[in-house]
């Protein structure tokens, strides 16, 4: 019982933050609040304290980093038999509902959100399991016809209901069960307990050995593979082909496969070969019978939206047809339109299996979808609450070469002539140089402030700001881009003409980086030219910014 004693003896770090008392009559600096627990426990209801302590005691690969080969279907891969033993102990709740399983390098979360909202618009009770979260772990499990994160009360009650069985499993597995495995088991058990109609399940890593890949073919309504890229390269076999094989592990016998894409031809062939082997019919959202178009930009609740058309005409393997015009999508960018088309294809696959899914519900679901940290423009009031009055701030969790390109495409579409300053923090296991190159050639880029953010609540995967600056210097040298380098904002002359040179400044403090970015743009702004501060590099830096905003909102309400 030693492990369980350790679980229950963890100190109570977070109870009673007392943010009102922190003001003490002095002007509030929103960046000084909550600096200890931004990502893991900020925003968690005190009712979840025991649950959070329990989960924090488990091995968390989001925080520690993923071992090489962990996601491959090999001797180095995660032990899926351990997950099956855990689910057996819980009565195999995953067998009590139908599921759509989503894997892919990018686009999983957006596609899951689009599809969940489509089905909710039709009136289904939907369970959605995604990762990571931005403010609260409850975001990873949404349920019902409204799609709200599970309430603290409901999550805590269910945790207490199955805790004894979780304790037994942890002891039997000698502490081998990870944070993600246990959280996945809790989510599946909760979905079964709530009698949902269908679950939308996002794989955590790869597919073949992911903890979510315990869904049988009889329980699977469809699988989706959105994209294949080089993120988590070593954890998934070291090659793009290996990554494709790992993600193809979610394809089940006789069950439809929806491909997002576009994919490199030989990578798509790997996926199609696996589907053929599993007798799984395939529909691709990138094939010629599917046409999408962005017709222009508009506004929704003071934030940009894009006006889109989607036409799907598929006659191979499936008979799928829909024409949607003038969709007002709050998820901005051509990559999000591709994710929307992928979700629409999956919805039509469900319709072909007898599920009621109307054209109207597909359109409403696409229009109702909005995710924190994905091309998220802050309102002017939110910028003021962060102490950055007058700033246009865009938050986006891009952290790969492909997502960086998509982000730049979104910026060019929404603010084509704006002066641009970046605030960047990244995890240590990313391709920093390739990421940087997607930004450095932009003629409107003025400065990049390299900073730090905790990754899943810890610093073991955080890239130090000076090292991050070195990567950007390397990228600029390889591209032949001229830069000026600083270790902080001191000495940056705002009035100086730089003749195309880009400032690269390393600053450990996110607070100082945000403030310096805004001050830099205010000092450089001329005439009516617009400017924008883009916070990117990780959903974790986005989480830190939103946590501060959330805290300031809470403080204002309390006062």
């Amino acid at each position: 019982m030693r492990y369980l004693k350790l679980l229950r003896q963890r100190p109570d770090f977070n109870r009673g933050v007392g943010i009102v008392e922190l003001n003490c009559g002095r002007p509030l600096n929103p960046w000084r609040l909550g600096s200890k627990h931004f990502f893991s426990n900020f925003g968690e209801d005190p009712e979840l304290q025991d649950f959070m302590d329990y989960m924090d005691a488990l091995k968390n690969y989001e925080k520690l980093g993923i071992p090489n080969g962990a996601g491959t279907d090999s001797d180095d891969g995660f032990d899926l038999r351990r997950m099956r033993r855990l689910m057996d102990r819980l009565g195999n709740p995953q067998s009590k509902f139908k599921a759509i399983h989503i894997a892919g390098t990018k686009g999983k979360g957006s596609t899951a959100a689009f599809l969940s909202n489509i089905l909710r618009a039709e009136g289904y009770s939907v369970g959605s399991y995604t990762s990571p979260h931005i403010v609260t772990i409850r975001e990873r499990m949404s349920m019902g016809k409204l799609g709200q994160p599970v309430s603290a009360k409901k999550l805590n009650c269910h945790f207490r209901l199955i805790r004894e069985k979780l304790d037994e499993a942890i002891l039997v597995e000698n502490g081998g069960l990870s944070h993600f495995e246990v959280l996945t088991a809790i989510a599946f058990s909760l979905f079964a307990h709530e009698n949902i109609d269908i679950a939308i399940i996002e794989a955590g890593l790869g597919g073949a050995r992911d903890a979510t890949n315990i869904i049988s073919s009889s329980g699977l309504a469809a699988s989706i593979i959105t994209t294949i890229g080089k993120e988590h390269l070593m954890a998934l076999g070291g090659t793009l082909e290996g990554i494709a094989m790992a993600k193809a592990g979610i394809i089940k016998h006789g069950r439809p496969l929806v491909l997002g894409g576009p994919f490199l031809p030989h990578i798509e062939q790997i996926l199609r070969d696996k589907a053929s082997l599993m007798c799984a019919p395939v529909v691709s959202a990138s094939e010629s019978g599917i046409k999408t178009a962005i017709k222009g930009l508009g506004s929704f609740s003071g934030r940009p939206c894009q006006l889109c058309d989607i036409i799907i005409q598929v006659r191979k393997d499936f008979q799928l047809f829909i024409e949607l015009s003038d969709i007002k999508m709050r998820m901005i960018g051509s990559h999000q339109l591709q994710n929307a088309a992928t979700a629409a294809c999956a919805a039509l696959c469900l319709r072909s299996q007898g599920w009621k899914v109307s054209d109207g519900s597909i359109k409403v679901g696409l229009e109702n979808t909005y995710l924190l940290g994905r091309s998220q423009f802050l309102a002017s009031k939110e910028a003021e609450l962060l102490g950055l009055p007058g700033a246009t701030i865009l938050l986006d969790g891009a952290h790969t070469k492909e997502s960086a390109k998509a982000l730049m495409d979104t910026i060019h579409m929404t603010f084509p002539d704006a002066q641009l300053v970046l605030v960047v923090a990244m995890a240590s296991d990313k391709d920093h140089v390739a990421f940087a190159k997607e930004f450095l050639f932009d003629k409107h880029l003025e400065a990049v402030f390299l900073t730090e953010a905790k990754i899943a609540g810890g610093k073991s995967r955080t890239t130090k700001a000076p090292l991050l600056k070195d990567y950007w210097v390397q990228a600029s040298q390889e591209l032949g881009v001229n830069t000026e380098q600083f270790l902080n904002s001191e000495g940056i002359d705002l009035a100086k003409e730089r003749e195309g040179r880009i400032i690269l400044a390393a600053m450990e403090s996110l607070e100082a980086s945000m403030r310096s970015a805004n001050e830099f743009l205010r000092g450089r702004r001329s005439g009516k030219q617009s400017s924008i501060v883009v916070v990117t590099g990780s959903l974790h830096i986005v989480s830190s910014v939103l946590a501060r905003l959330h805290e300031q909102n809470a403080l204002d309400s309390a006062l």
Side-chain angles (χ1 to χ4, degrees):
M1 300 296 290
R2 180 175 178 271
Y3 181 78
L4 297 184
K5 289 179 180 178
L6 288 174
L7 271 176
R8 293 164 184 151
Q9 290 170 2
R10 288 177 59 83
D12 187 356
F13 289 120
N14 301 332
R15 195 181 301 277
V17 174
I19 58 174
V20 176
E21 297 177 1
L22 291 177
N23 195 16
C24 301
R26 295 187 293 274
L28 176 73
N29 181 348
W31 298 90
R32 296 298 183 191
L33 294 173
S35 61
K36 195 170 184 179
H37 296 284
F38 291 147
F39 189 81
S40 61
N41 291 350
F42 173 76
E44 302 302 353
D45 192 294
E47 187 173 353
L48 285 179
Q49 187 63 51
D50 289 345
F51 170 77
M52 293 305 301
D53 285 346
Y54 191 96
M55 297 304 298
D56 285 346
L58 302 171
K59 184 178 292 185
N60 187 344
Y61 290 107
E62 291 178 37
K63 182 185 296 186
L64 300 174
I66 303 162
N68 289 347
T72 60
D73 198 8
S74 69
D75 291 341
D76 295 326
F78 287 128
D79 186 357
L80 204 55
R81 294 171 299 178
R82 182 173 61 212
M83 187 66 188
R84 291 194 179 100
R85 290 192 292 269
L86 171 59
M87 300 312 289
D88 282 342
R89 191 176 294 274
L90 294 174
N92 287 307
Q94 76 279 8
S95 66
K96 295 178 173 60
F97 51 79
K98 292 292 185 180
I100 293 180
H101 200 187
I102 306 177
T105 302
K106 301 298 298 180
K108 297 189 297 296
S110 298
T111 302
F114 281 129
L115 189 52
S116 296
N117 283 323
I118 288 169
L119 294 171
R120 291 187 184 107
E122 191 62 54
Y124 291 109
S125 177
V126 181
S128 181
Y129 180 60
T130 60
S131 60
H133 60 274
I134 301 293
V135 175
T136 166
I137 199 169
R138 295 184 293 107
E139 296 168 28
R140 300 192 183 208
M141 301 171 229
S142 62
M143 291 188 304
K145 296 183 178 181
L146 297 179
Q148 296 296 320
V150 60
S151 69
K153 180 178 181 180
K154 185 165 289 186
L155 177 56
N156 193 49
C157 286
H158 195 75
F159 167 65
R160 289 179 176 177
L161 181 67
I162 65 173
R163 178 170 180 164
E164 184 175 344
K165 292 182 178 179
L166 295 175
D167 289 346
E168 293 169 354
I170 290 171
L171 287 174
V172 167
E173 302 294 345
N174 295 316
L177 284 166
S178 69
H179 182 285
F180 188 74
E181 288 170 319
V182 172
L183 192 64
T184 300
I186 292 172
F188 287 4
S189 178
L190 182 61
F191 292 164
H193 188 264
E194 293 295 312
N195 295 313
I196 62 165
D197 296 317
I198 190 168
I200 313 299
I201 306 297
E202 178 187 336
L205 175 73
R209 292 295 187 93
D210 188 73
T212 61
N213 199 28
I214 51 170
I215 303 165
S216 66
S217 57
S218 61
L220 187 70
S223 55
I224 301 173
I225 299 177
T226 56
T227 58
I228 300 293
K230 290 185 177 180
E231 188 177 12
H232 302 305
L233 185 65
M234 298 314 298
L236 294 173
T239 66
L240 205 59
E241 293 78 10
I243 292 174
M245 288 299 300
K247 296 185 187 300
I250 70 166
I251 302 171
K252 297 295 190 299
H253 191 272
R255 308 314 302 151
L257 169 65
V258 178
L259 297 177
F263 302 94
L264 294 172
H266 75 288
I267 295 299
E268 181 167 342
Q269 194 59 52
I270 289 173
L271 303 177
R272 288 184 176 274
D273 286 347
K274 179 62 179 292
S276 177
L277 185 65
M278 303 297 287
C279 300
V282 179
V283 60
S284 170
S286 299
E287 64 183 59
S288 58
I290 298 176
K291 302 184 185 302
T292 61
I294 299 174
K295 300 193 294 185
L297 290 175
S299 179
F300 188 96
S301 299
R303 292 181 172 89
C305 71
Q306 58 187 14
L307 201 64
C308 305
D309 292 344
I310 296 177
I311 299 174
I312 298 174
Q313 293 177 317
V314 175
R315 294 183 176 86
K316 183 181 178 182
D317 285 344
F318 298 95
Q319 296 292 316
L320 309 180
F321 177 80
I322 194 171
E323 288 188 3
L324 300 175
S325 300
D326 299 331
I327 309 165
K328 298 178 180 66
M329 279 182 50
R330 290 185 282 174
M331 301 284 279
I332 302 292
S334 58
H335 62 298
Q336 293 295 1
L337 180 55
Q338 181 67 22
N339 293 332
T342 303
C345 285
L348 293 176
C349 283
L350 287 179
R351 181 194 287 177
S352 71
Q353 296 176 48
W355 294 73
K356 181 184 176 183
V357 185
S358 69
D359 290 4
S361 292
I362 294 176
K363 184 175 183 180
V364 169
L366 298 180
E367 291 184 332
N368 285 346
T369 300
Y370 176 73
L371 287 176
L372 293 175
R374 279 80 163 183
S375 300
Q376 178 184 356
F377 288 91
L378 297 186
S380 56
K381 175 63 175 177
E382 293 171 323
E384 290 177 12
L385 284 172
L386 290 173
L388 304 173
T392 298
I393 302 174
L394 171 61
L395 309 180
D396 192 280
H399 53 270
T400 67
K401 170 185 170 66
E402 294 78 13
S403 57
K405 183 181 185 305
L407 173 56
M408 286 305 297
D409 289 344
T410 299
I411 293 169
H412 291 154
M413 183 170 61
T414 52
F415 289 90
D417 299 315
Q419 292 176 304
L420 178 63
V421 169
L422 303 179
V423 178
V424 179
M426 299 187 75
S428 57
D429 55 354
K430 307 304 176 186
D431 189 343
H432 303 95
V433 173
F435 180 84
K437 286 181 177 179
E438 292 298 323
F439 297 96
L440 282 168
F441 255 148
D442 189 86
K443 64 181 180 180
H444 298 301
L445 180 62
E446 299 274 348
V448 185
F449 293 89
L450 292 316
T451 187
E452 299 173 15
K454 291 182 178 180
I455 308 298
K459 288 192 172 183
S460 61
R461 290 179 60 214
T462 299
T463 305
K464 294 295 184 182
L467 178 59
L468 193 55
K469 180 178 72 67
D470 290 343
Y471 286 123
W472 280 71
V473 169
Q474 178 186 338
S476 65
Q477 290 173 344
E478 292 179 6
L479 292 176
V481 174
N482 293 324
T483 63
E484 285 187 64
Q485 302 163 37
F486 299 86
L487 284 177
N488 52 53
S489 62
E490 295 178 7
I492 300 178
D493 183 355
L494 300 181
K496 178 181 176 182
E497 284 297 327
R498 294 192 154 73
E499 299 178 350
R501 293 192 299 275
I502 298 170
I503 284 177
L504 300 179
M507 308 175 71
E508 180 180 348
S509 166
L510 176 56
E511 169 201 4
S513 296
M514 292 284 289
R515 186 177 62 244
S516 296
N518 191 44
E519 290 174 353
F520 179 83
L521 279 180
R522 289 173 65 183
R524 301 283 290 175
R525 195 176 293 132
S526 60
K528 295 183 178 180
Q529 185 176 14
S530 59
S531 57
I532 182 171
V533 177
V534 181
V535 181
T536 189
S538 169
L539 281 172
H540 301 274
I541 187 175
V542 170
S543 170
S544 294
V545 173
L546 291 177
R548 289 163 169 81
L549 181 60
H550 194 92
E551 287 171 326
Q552 184 60 30
N553 271 319
L555 181 63
D556 281 3
S557 298
L559 295 176

